Amino acid sequence: MAASKRNIIVGQSGGPTSVINSSLAGVYKTAKERGFHKVYGMLHGIQGFLDEQYVDLSTQIHSDMDIELLKRTPSAFLGSCRFKLPEIHEDTDTYEKIFQILDKLDIEAFIYIGGNDSMDTIKKLSDYAIIKGHSQKFLGVPKTIDNDLALTDHTPGFGSAAKYIAASTKEVIRDALGLTYNKEMITVIEVMGRNAGWLTGATALARTEECDGPDLIYLPEILFDMEKFEKKVTELLKKKHSIVIAVSEGIKTADGKYVCELSGGADYVDAFGHKQLQGTAAYLAGHLGAVIGCKTRSIEFSTLQRSASHMASRVDVNEAFMVGGAAVKAADEGDSGKMVVIDRVSDDPYMSAAGIYDVHRIANNEKLVPRTWVNKEGNYVTQEFINYIEPLIQGDYQPFMVNGLPQHLVLNKK
Amino acid sequence: MAASKRNIIVGQSGGPTSVINSSLAGVYKTAKERGFHKVYGMLHGIQGFLDEQYVDLSTQIHSDMDIELLKRTPSAFLGSCRFKLPEIHEDTDTYEKIFQILDKLDIEAFIYIGGNDSMDTIKKLSDYAIIKGHSQKFLGVPKTIDNDLALTDHTPGFGSAAKYIAASTKEVIRDALGLTYNKEMITVIEVMGRNAGWLTGATALARTEECDGPDLIYLPEILFDMEKFEKKVTELLKKKHSIVIAVSEGIKTADGKYVCELSGGADYVDAFGHKQLQGTAAYLAGHLGAVIGCKTRSIEFSTLQRSASHMASRVDVNEAFMVGGAAVKAADEGDSGKMVVIDRVSDDPYMSAAGIYDVHRIANNEKLVPRTWVNKEGNYVTQEFINYIEPLIQGDYQPFMVNGLPQHLVLNKK
């Protein structure tokens, strides 16, 4: 049996990123190089797997060119899910079913590409394997634009989202400057990040030799004070006509309310109990317009920020590929219940390497922006913050353009 | 006097585009090549000009490299305005002031880069020059992402906006597909276009060999029927889990109301009496969520679609440059009261050339999508529409990347 048991399965879970498929490509390529027989892809993560939805990836990836195309394809190629495994003591049937399918497919290693919630899946499955004496290895590959995973220096997907956000912020600032003459305009940009302000802080990268960058930045780590905010904006308008403010979707006031809730939004709650946030910028723009009486506008970077692979960072694409491969290597060498992390080896020049950590130390432990990386007033990030992010947005990974548009690799279901 | 009167002035007006500065670069380069002495740039169009706000462009553009950087810079380099000149019979003082400044600067030619409203400025100034016997020439250069100018095959700025919209639509569709397993999700994308649906129709370009494209497209040219819409979406949800709908910000119901007004938005009115539209997609997503009971989300491409020069079309950048130069040539050869247009010389291979038309035939005359280029049901564009747009999004014009971000040329006010 041992000789035949050389198959591997990989899945993707949680919110998409621009480079989640680069990790998938890294898993595929390394698995093939290390002599795995079949590389399966589960469709829509563990949820689809439970319905026995999977494909043999060799029917999808036919060449090195396909691998390069996959690295340039945003959103989960295999489909994603938001599915929380039950606690082991609550429901062993689900676990038994999973291991039955794994055995049937001769799976030796199970690789899951995802964020905090996905690492919970790796933890539970590896625990169950140990408890029941199953031999399969379970490895996690980090993925999230939010950069809120502990222990890894940063997460794959973050750098590309930060690059897109910074580039778009520069473009929005130029747009606003061109339009304001003898009149004032306030632009409020809304950036993703429920509890962690990494992405919102990335707008500060727009401060370059030819661009002021945003004037104010509000992260969810700092309580939002509406009065101070109005005062600050009013002050700034005395000095310049065009004010650009970046806010996280997740900023909250002292009474614990999301700012977007002040407008009556935020109804939808997902499977993990997370409120869907939207409308923070629109609310603040409307509010400032009413209080200050000048033109205001709001811009939500929305899902574009997590799927704009046409603006991917080369550092990010390569690191995403690296951690995918490192997970296969770790599994092949006998590790389980671990997540691959990115260690920053050096800042200047920037260098990184794959490391590995026990997934029990990682799951459901959000990494927030340290208070010392936000200025005293709580309305901008510090130079340390910028130094940390800057290396992660470097270099391009040009899309393959076909007929004027970026081409993607998509699942062939035939 | 004649020998010294070889100066030229150029201004930019109206909403920005990704390539409006490529036209400015074309004006500058051609003016220099044709022996104009000074090339002035008016700041914030005719409004700033009236305040004697202008720069000598040789203090801003120092090299061919700067010209290339300018071509890659979105939004009006010189600043824009929305300023309507009074009717000549109502207020001759304003006109006298303009011509005094022109005389003082020894201006021979006045080039204005703008949309419908800007061509009105060219018309009035050239009329006034004729009435009063002034020798200056007034030429218009078309510019608008909306593609709603008559007589020109299409407008500079449209192709790049269409390319960004189509590419982003592909990315949004991939994002949605990855997230939907055994559950339904409706994504409503809002695209700019008050009366003309050219940009919204451009989402159809996302229909490629590996992407279905949007499922439904609603242009402002067709009255929006909420009941039919709900029925159509419900039907589609029986066939597929993820539905993506593109709507113009300007769609209206049979009673003449903008859909975004149904939610109580649309308060701000600009200097030309245009209502500011926003919230159409959010309203429809909320409405469908309530009626159908599935997850919905809304995405506004917002100002990003007109300033994303990082996704500019090479055809568009080159044509914008060409029409800028052609305006200078026409003025130099004695034309006035005219706008440069783009003539489509051939479809396959696509070829275009600069033509010239009397601005009296152009101003305030909106070009809408013909009814025959929309399908019978009024919920998609036809192949003719796609054939018309496709050549305009071809080719890239890569940004100059500095420290991971697109670099821009900005006004040096020292």
Side-chain angles (χ1 to χ4, degrees), chain A residues 360-406:
Chain A
H360 293 83
R361 296 171 62 193
I362 295 162
N364 298 320
N365 191 355
E366 276 178 323
K367 182 175 72 179
L368 303 180
V369 177
R371 182 62 186 88
T372 52
W373 284 12
V374 182
N375 70 359
K376 240 187 210 171
E377 281 192 86
N379 58 23
Y380 218 86
V381 292
T382 65
Q383 191 58 44
E384 291 98 311
F385 181 98
I386 292 168
N387 294 346
Y388 164 77
I389 297 193
E390 212 166 47
L392 312 182
I393 68 160
Q394 300 303 316
D396 312 318
Y397 214 80
Q398 294 300 339
F400 292 157
M401 302 299 278
V402 174
N403 207 10
L405 295 176

Side-chain angles (χ1 to χ4, degrees), chain A residues 14-16 43-44 47-49 51 53 73-82 162-164 166-172 174-183 205-206 208-211 268 276 278 295 297-304 306-311 390 393-396 398-399 401-411, chain B residues 14-16 43-44 47-49 51 53 73-82 162-164 166-172 174-183 205-206 208-211 268 276 278 295 297-304 306-311 390 393-396 398-399 401-411:
Chain A
L43 302 182
H44 293 282
Q47 190 180 9
F49 181 77
D51 297 336
Q53 297 287 316
T73 298
S75 182
F77 172 81
L78 294 169
S80 182
C81 68
R82 293 191 181 276
K163 186 186 184 86
Y164 175 83
S168 298
T169 299
K170 278 191 84 170
E171 290 170 343
V172 165
R174 288 239 61 72
D175 184 277
L177 276 175
L179 291 175
T180 43
Y181 175 65
N182 280 353
K183 66 177 178 188
L205 294 170
T208 52
E209 61 174 359
E210 21 65 281
C211 181
Y268 182 79
Q276 295 298 296
Q278 215 174 15
K295 183 173 180 183
R297 62 181 192 179
S298 63
I299 293 169
E300 283 181 22
F301 285 158
S302 70
T303 60
L304 296 169
R306 71 183 184 203
S307 51
S309 59
H310 73 265
M311 247 293 166
E390 212 166 47
I393 68 160
Q394 300 303 316
D396 312 318
Q398 294 300 339
M401 302 299 278
V402 174
N403 207 10
L405 295 176
Q407 183 82 356
H408 302 143
L409 188 74
V410 303
L411 199 70
Chain B
L43 303 182
H44 293 283
Q47 190 180 9
F49 182 78
D51 296 336
Q53 298 287 314
T73 298
S75 183
F77 172 81
L78 294 169
S80 182
C81 69
R82 293 189 181 279
K163 186 185 183 86
Y164 175 83
S168 297
T169 299
K170 278 190 84 170
E171 290 170 343
V172 165
R174 287 240 60 71
D175 184 276
L177 276 175
L179 291 175
T180 42
Y181 176 64
N182 280 353
K183 67 176 176 188
L205 294 170
T208 52
E209 62 174 359
E210 23 64 284
C211 181
Y268 181 78
Q276 295 298 298
Q278 215 175 16
K295 183 174 181 182
R297 62 181 191 180
S298 63
I299 293 170
E300 282 180 24
F301 286 159
S302 70
T303 62
L304 297 169
R306 70 183 184 203
S307 51
S309 59
H310 73 265
M311 247 292 165
E390 211 166 46
I393 68 161
Q394 299 303 316
D396 312 319
Q398 294 300 338
M401 302 298 278
V402 174
N403 207 9
L405 294 176
Q407 182 82 356
H408 302 143
L409 188 75
V410 303
L411 199 69

